[in-house]
Amino acid sequence: MPKRTPEDIVDRQAPAILSGTDGTGKSASENGVFQSAVIEDPAVQALLQPWVEMECHQLSHGGTVARLDSLDLGTHQVVRERQETSIHKLGATPPDFCTLSFCMKARRSRFAEHCAEEGETIFFMPGNVEFDVFVPAGGETAYVGFSQEQFLQGARILNPGFWEKPPKGVVPLTACRRSELKSAVDLWLRTAREAAGRGAPLDPDVVRGHLLQTVLQIATVTEEDIAPTINERLRALQIGRTARSFVDESLDTGELPTLVGICAALGVSERTLRYAFREYVGLSPVAYLRARRLSRVRAVLAASDPQDVTITQVAMRYGFLHLGRFAGDYRLMFGEMPSMTLAS
């Protein structure tokens, strides 16, 4: 029997298509492919991530190298790896492909010249950069890949002081919250796995939009407080009112309002918008947008016939991918489950 090559092993994987290609003219990766694999050859670990030029070298003993879950959305990628053996990764990112990544449960892990296991640190790696990563056995890593051009368009609006010029190499973002990125990665992969298991279509555009807005919120946030003055409070009130109008108009036209959209329309940074919302309604912009989207879901459910729509359809339309969390938030907000609203 001829020896199987890594390509043969990859061909035997069973990727789950999240949305069909019939009649769409789109490739599978544009529609979304979820994969889950137990890897026994480090070459396969690299081949399962074809969007990045990479070599993986096993450095410790063990028959199982890694366990990998990935979501390929064409221009956006989500990857989570659990190393069973120590691995050394060498490669380079494409010109318009950047990543946010983190490492857990591995004190000796290294990302370029940086220690990868430091508090809540996550790492931004720009496009067209060579990388050198070491992850010992037992380490868990994850990264989100996306268009650098799209990311910088939003990041320069939200935090122009930091993102006006893209970094030349790997940058640790110590003010960011690793736990938030981990929760987001877990959510995207779980949603994709469940959709694949149900054989139900999952709109890849919704996931791509959710992904980009999430990484923008995580990567551009700053921790500094703004010392309030009376003029700043008056300006905060004006910004809050204008932002509220923008959110209403967006929802009325069927668009999901985003932090980037609000900041671009108002000509303010994320930091300024955050302060304004704290003064205006006592919420962060993210919490405010979530509350308004929940309210729109409730209005749609209350006006709909249960025979015509499902709760999942409406929730997804307004950007809620974690249906369990959505139901819990909905009940906390309105004192009833979504099913009760739809049935009333």
Side-chain angles (χ1 to χ4, degrees), residues 104-140:
M104 302 180 65
K105 301 182 179 180
R107 293 184 178 179
R108 293 182 293 111
S109 58
R110 175 185 55 77
F111 195 163
E113 69 273 22
H114 306 287
C115 175
E117 175 71 11
E118 290 183 352
E120 288 286 276
T121 300
I122 61 178
F123 297 91
F124 175 82
M125 182 167 62
N128 208 25
V129 166
E130 294 186 356
F131 59 85
D132 185 324
V133 179
F134 168 71
V135 183
E140 296 184 6

Side-chain angles (χ1 to χ4, degrees), residues 34 87 89 94 105 162 181 206 215-216 250 262 278 306 310:
F34 171 77
I87 200 80
K89 301 179 182 180
K105 301 182 179 180
F162 187 88
L181 182 58
V206 170
V215 298
L216 280 167
S250 297
I262 297 173
R278 186 177 64 189
T310 67

Side-chain angles (χ1 to χ4, degrees), residues 156-288:
R156 287 167 177 157
I157 293 171
L158 296 174
N159 192 344
F162 187 88
W163 292 103
E164 185 58 36
K165 294 183 179 179
K168 300 297 184 180
V170 176
V171 177
L173 303 176
T174 55
C176 293
R177 303 176 180 88
R178 185 182 64 184
S179 57
E180 290 185 15
L181 182 58
K182 181 182 184 304
S183 295
V185 167
D186 292 343
L187 168 61
W188 295 322
L189 292 174
R190 180 171 61 252
T191 301
R193 181 191 294 273
E194 292 174 352
R198 296 192 306 267
L202 180 65
D203 189 338
D205 289 331
V206 170
V207 182
R208 281 191 285 260
H210 189 276
L211 186 154
L212 183 60
Q213 294 305 316
T214 299
V215 298
L216 280 167
Q217 293 167 21
I218 292 174
T220 61
V221 70
T222 55
E223 298 298 335
E224 301 89 347
D225 288 328
I226 302 174
T229 66
I230 185 61
N231 288 335
E232 287 173 334
R233 287 192 173 119
L234 288 172
R235 183 168 183 248
L237 181 63
Q238 181 182 11
I239 290 173
R241 288 172 173 168
T242 307
R244 175 181 55 78
S245 297
F246 177 87
V247 170
D248 286 343
E249 291 171 4
S250 297
L251 290 171
D252 287 343
T253 59
E255 297 290 331
L256 291 183
T258 65
L259 287 185
V260 173
I262 297 173
C263 289
L266 275 60
V268 299
S269 69
E270 181 275 340
R271 175 175 162 177
T272 300
L273 184 69
R274 181 156 36 96
Y275 170 75
F277 265 91
R278 186 177 64 189
E279 291 295 308
Y280 185 55
V281 291
L283 296 173
S284 71
V286 174
Y288 179 80

Side-chain angles (χ1 to χ4, degrees), residues 39-50:
I39 299 170
E40 299 177 353
D41 186 331
V44 173
Q45 189 167 355
L47 288 171
L48 286 176
Q49 303 169 66

